[in-house]
């Protein structure tokens, strides 16, 4: 089992970059945020536990996250290559990931830190809209749907994630600075961090990450 990690504040574009990379790189995209939103939608016990934290923009406790990630990895083949988005978010989670990978002879091969100025993050998050039906992502100004409020792909209704409302966005950015940014040191000490300018178009970000993956192999 091998892994790469997309690290960066909310709104850095981890999800959309991961979707594009999944198609070309062979890495399996694992987003703990998506898994939790799915669990909330389905009314699963994990979802009920996570929901109040998510709505406030706080981190869901490590034991919940570690449980869902372990379960997800156990379902994949032993030689799978994963691309994590939104995980790990604490040093505890990072250590657990290292243990799981090492127990199978694997490791984290790259950590891509997506860097975006704060004002761009706030604009991206508060303007983001998502299709309730197919999950396609829009932005009210940067990527507007053809018909306001409707998905171009499936006609589904567009909605705003509760945690993308302005009051929660600022808290999520603070939580990132306080709790998740220390992960950069953790991986920097291992020499794994590649800093990527992710303030512009998705294609440029994807191309730069792909360049590193090709150069460094995926062993
Ligand atoms: P995301 O879609 O990655 O922005 O995650 C949305 C929300 O889910 C976060 O604000 C947290 O409340 C929760 N969450 C997702 N992944 C994690 C994680 N690895 N650790 C703790 N909380 C998480």
């Amino acid at each position: 089992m091998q892994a790469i990690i997309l690290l960066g504040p909310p709104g850095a574009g981890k999800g959309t970059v991961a979707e594009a990379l999944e198609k070309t790189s062979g890495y399996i995209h694992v987003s703990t945020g998506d898994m939790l939103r799915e669990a909330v939608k389905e009314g699963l016990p994990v979802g009920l536990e996570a929901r109040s934290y998510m709505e406030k923009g706080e981190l869901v406790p490590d034991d919940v996250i570690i449980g869902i990630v372990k379960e997800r990895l156990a379902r994949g083949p032993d030689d799978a290559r994963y691309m994590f988005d939104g995980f790990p978010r604490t040093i505890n989670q990072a250590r657990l990931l290292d243990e799981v990978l090492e127990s199978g002879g694997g490791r984290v091969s790259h950590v891509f830190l997506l860097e975006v100025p704060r004002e761009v993050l706030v604009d991206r998050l508060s303007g983001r809209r998502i299709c309730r039906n197919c999950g396609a992502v829009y932005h009210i100004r940067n990527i507007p749907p053809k018909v306001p409020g409707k998905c171009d792909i499936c006609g589904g209704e567009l909605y705003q994630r509760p945690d993308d409302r302005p009051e929660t966005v600022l808290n999520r950015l603070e939580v990132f600075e306080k709790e998740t940014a220390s992960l950069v040191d953790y991986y920097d000490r291992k020499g794994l961090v590649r800093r990527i300018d992710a303030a512009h178009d998705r294609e440029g970000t994807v191309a730069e990450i792909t360049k590193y993956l090709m150069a460094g192999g995926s062993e």
Side-chain angles (χ1 to χ4, degrees):
M1 224 184 267
Q2 300 290 336
I4 61 173
I5 293 168
L6 300 181
L7 199 63
K14 301 185 293 295
T16 45
V17 165
E19 267 169 33
L21 277 173
E22 188 173 40
K23 295 199 186 104
T24 54
S25 70
Y27 283 87
I28 302 165
H29 176 201
V30 176
S31 155
T32 42
D34 286 349
M35 288 160 76
L36 292 170
R37 278 185 289 279
E38 198 57 38
V40 169
K41 204 162 112 192
E42 307 218 329
L44 301 178
V46 164
L48 294 178
E49 199 171 345
R51 187 180 184 152
S52 61
Y53 296 97
M54 294 172 76
E55 282 177 355
K56 284 184 281 195
E58 303 289 340
L59 294 187
V60 172
D62 280 346
D63 57 332
V64 174
I65 300 295
I66 286 169
I68 62 170
V69 170
K70 273 192 166 163
E71 201 183 304
R72 175 67 189 81
L73 299 187
R75 272 196 279 127
D78 285 347
D79 60 354
R81 293 184 300 149
Y82 292 101
M83 170 170 41
F84 289 105
D85 145 20
F87 173 86
R89 263 175 157 100
T90 62
I91 301 279
N92 225 356
Q93 294 178 16
R95 292 212 176 101
L96 175 275
L97 177 62
D98 283 345
E99 275 170 29
V100 173
L101 293 173
E102 279 160 21
S103 70
R107 69 186 178 96
V108 173
S109 62
H110 298 83
V111 176
F112 296 104
L113 174 62
L114 306 191
E115 296 184 308
V116 179
R118 190 183 168 95
E119 60 276 13
V120 178
L121 296 173
V122 173
D123 176 66
R124 279 188 189 171
L125 290 167
S126 48
R128 179 160 69 176
R129 298 291 182 274
I130 297 168
C131 173
R132 218 179 263 293
N133 183 45
C134 75
V137 180
Y138 297 85
H139 184 281
I140 48 172
R141 279 183 311 283
N142 308 340
I143 325 168
K146 292 197 185 91
V147 179
K150 275 214 159 129
C151 177
D152 292 351
I153 301 164
C154 73
E157 178 207 1
L158 302 188
Y159 80 109
Q160 182 175 40
R161 268 172 51 173
D163 59 348
D164 280 347
R165 294 192 188 121
E167 60 279 15
T168 315
V169 161
L170 296 179
N171 192 35
R172 287 166 67 203
L173 292 174
E174 253 167 50
V175 167
F176 175 80
E177 287 302 328
K178 212 170 66 205
E179 312 205 32
T180 309
S182 61
L183 279 180
V184 178
D185 291 339
Y186 179 86
Y187 288 119
D188 248 341
R189 268 185 244 125
K190 295 173 187 276
L192 294 177
V193 181
R194 307 277 173 265
R195 288 171 168 74
I196 310 283
D197 174 2
H200 311 288
D201 59 317
R202 176 181 80 170
E203 287 66 32
T205 306
V206 170
E208 204 175 338
I209 293 178
T210 304
K211 197 178 69 191
Y212 279 116
L213 289 176
M214 309 265 280
S218 53
E219 74 287 358

